[in-house]
Amino acid sequence: MQHPLVKKILHTREEISLRSQAMALDVDAYYKQQKVQDNTVLVVGILKGCVPFMSELLNHVKSECEIDYMVMSSYKGGVKANANPEIVLDISTNLKGRHVLLVEDIIDSGLTLDFVKKDFYHRGAADVKIITMIDKPANRQAKITADWFGFEVEDEFLIGFGLDYEERLRNLPYVAICDTSKLKTWKW
Ligand code: IMP
Ligand code: MG
């Protein structure tokens, strides 16, 4: 049974898994052409939303890689973007000369990844690429594009497969449009 806050399921786990497999081929092809330090890509997941997608993706990536994570402040649990992203929890890896693959659940305004990408280059990264499960270009406020994206969506508030409303619903096994008409009176 689907969650009562679901208006419409957009992508099932099976679909996301298949798409991740195809994206992993593209990612591997890219890094094969690059001179990567120690032949090891640094995959950085933006917590918390990246977890289900990153797990699917990395099941298929064949390139040698290290994994790290960071937490950025963004929506603060609500439904609106934050103009001033801040690092809440930083990676523990030195970025000097590294090839970095940033993994996101969704790019909306683009403000978060714009900040992180610039910051990583300042810290000496050799190359910073972006992969996201969902691209929502309608709402873009920063000049940023994903190097690889799973699915493009309209300007809707989404839940599931890592995407939260008030920190819940990340565990839904699909990406869905949230029935926002119910949120005003919604009680957990
Ligand atoms: P951006 O900085 O506006 O691109 O937002 C990035 C972050 O906002 C994502 O990593 C998500 O955590 C959150 N976000 C953006 N759109 C949605 C959505 O539709 N549902 C849930 N979270 C979202
Ligand atoms: Mg996120």
Side-chain angles (χ1 to χ4, degrees):
M1 217 211 36
Q2 68 187 43
H3 192 279
L5 282 179
V6 168
K7 185 150 100 185
K8 185 180 173 209
I9 293 179
L10 291 182
H11 303 292
T12 62
R13 181 174 174 204
E14 290 68 30
E15 257 184 276
I16 298 165
S17 179
L18 275 176
R19 188 72 194 100
S20 300
Q21 206 168 328
M23 291 165 90
L25 288 176
D26 294 343
V27 167
D28 284 335
Y30 172 74
Y31 287 112
K32 226 176 189 166
Q33 297 169 357
Q34 300 292 307
K35 275 217 157 47
V36 179
Q37 180 177 292
D38 292 332
N39 191 35
T40 303
V41 179
L42 177 62
V43 181
V44 176
I46 312 290
L47 293 172
K48 309 165 189 168
C50 71
V51 170
F53 169 61
M54 188 158 156
S55 155
E56 283 292 342
L57 180 75
L58 290 183
N59 271 316
H60 303 293
V61 167
K62 302 274 196 297
S63 308
E64 219 66 75
C65 59
E66 270 178 70
I67 296 174
D68 208 337
Y69 296 99
M70 70 195 295
V71 178
M72 297 295 300
S73 65
S74 61
Y75 276 36
K76 304 225 166 74
V79 296
K80 275 219 299 275
N82 174 6
N84 295 303
E86 281 167 48
I87 299 172
V88 175
L89 186 81
D90 204 358
I91 51 168
S92 58
T93 314
N94 187 336
L95 289 171
K96 278 255 148 56
R98 299 301 304 264
H99 276 66
V100 179
L101 178 63
L102 283 170
V103 184
E104 257 287 26
D105 47 2
I106 188 166
I107 310 181
D108 183 19
S109 71
L111 294 167
T112 309
L113 281 179
D114 187 47
F115 175 91
V116 175
K117 194 172 176 178
K118 284 179 183 151
D119 179 54
F120 277 23
Y121 277 122
H122 277 137
R123 295 198 231 174
D127 182 61
V128 181
K129 291 283 173 238
I130 294 172
I131 188 164
T132 184
M133 174 174 71
I134 306 279
D135 192 6
K136 193 159 57 165
N139 209 11
R140 206 53 54 82
Q141 293 173 47
K143 251 204 179 146
I144 195 122
T145 49
D147 297 281
W148 302 282
F149 65 89
F151 307 98
E152 194 175 298
V153 299
E154 308 279 299
D155 191 11
E156 305 264 18
F157 186 69
L158 306 181
I159 48 177
F161 222 82
L163 296 162
D164 71 300
Y165 171 63
E166 293 187 337
E167 295 296 335
R168 279 85 153 187
L169 309 175
R170 295 189 197 274
N171 57 324
L172 300 180
Y174 45 76
V175 171
I177 298 175
C178 180
D179 187 349
T180 48
S181 70
K182 289 183 180 166
L183 293 182
K184 255 198 174 141
T185 54
W186 183 258
K187 295 258 185 305
W188 294 108

